[in-house]
Amino acid sequence: MNAAEQARNIEVTSKIAAVVNLFKLEFADAKVDLKPWMNDVDTRKLVDPESIDIGFHFPGRSRLLQSRSILVQIRFYEDPVDGSRRAIGVETAGYDHSGQQWRLSTVENWSFTGTTQPVPESAEKLKLFCRQIFELFNDSQGLAS
């Protein structure tokens, strides 16, 4: 779900802002998009209501990331017993004018798949960014719904 729609309280809003800042620390020229999904019926069918989705766009095609735009999707799980909510995965994908170029999933084996891949240094920065997301959302206080 679009990050702008998930920002329902100060805690979640602050954490979304922190995610943006973490990304921009590594990739300073990126512009943030808190509403990467269209608000139409067909798109709504595909969007995970338990995720926070953020887009990042570069002024041109990033040679280091082999893409022009990156979609970051933070996935959550709410425990039905105790009501706690935790980040359980981060999905990232790089896109350019010809479509998806690569994908990184923390749910699988943390490796890049696709027709191209970010250069090794940028790939490591993306993995660090994903680890930081887990630290941010899965701190001892958890994430308020």
Side-chain angles (χ1 to χ4, degrees):
M1 179 176 275
N2 286 329
E5 296 172 61
Q6 291 285 30
R8 296 182 214 141
N9 62 48
I10 191 70
E11 182 183 2
V12 175
T13 301
S14 296
K15 289 184 179 189
I16 290 169
V19 168
V20 170
N21 288 331
L22 288 169
F23 191 88
K24 289 183 69 69
L25 280 173
E26 300 297 336
F27 308 103
D29 56 342
K31 302 293 181 209
V32 68
D33 179 359
L34 297 177
K35 294 182 179 183
W37 298 110
M38 300 285 292
N39 191 13
D40 61 65
V41 174
D42 293 331
T43 304
R44 287 261 173 220
K45 291 177 190 173
L46 302 173
V47 174
D48 179 357
E50 295 301 318
S51 70
I52 293 176
D53 303 346
I54 304 170
F56 294 96
H57 308 288
F58 297 94
R61 188 173 197 274
S62 169
R63 180 187 62 75
L64 298 175
L65 290 169
Q66 294 296 312
S67 58
R68 182 177 177 113
S69 298
I70 294 179
L71 177 65
V72 176
Q73 186 175 60
I74 307 164
R75 296 182 175 250
F76 295 92
Y77 171 75
E78 187 168 335
D79 188 309
V81 176
D82 67 13
S84 64
R85 191 172 182 211
R86 299 183 47 82
I88 58 168
V90 179
E91 307 280 339
T92 60
Y95 297 87
D96 68 10
H97 68 281
S98 60
Q100 185 174 306
Q101 297 301 299
W102 55 263
R103 179 176 176 269
L104 169 66
S105 174
T106 66
V107 176
E108 296 170 3
N109 60 7
W110 288 70
S111 64
F112 288 85
T113 59
T115 57
T116 63
Q117 295 184 6
V119 299
E121 181 181 335
S122 293
E124 287 307 311
K125 286 180 177 182
L126 282 169
K127 289 179 181 180
L128 172 62
F129 168 69
C130 291
R131 285 191 293 276
Q132 291 170 325
I133 288 173
F134 285 116
E135 290 171 12
L136 179 67
F137 283 99
N138 294 341
D139 66 9
S140 60
Q141 296 170 342
L143 174 67
S145 297

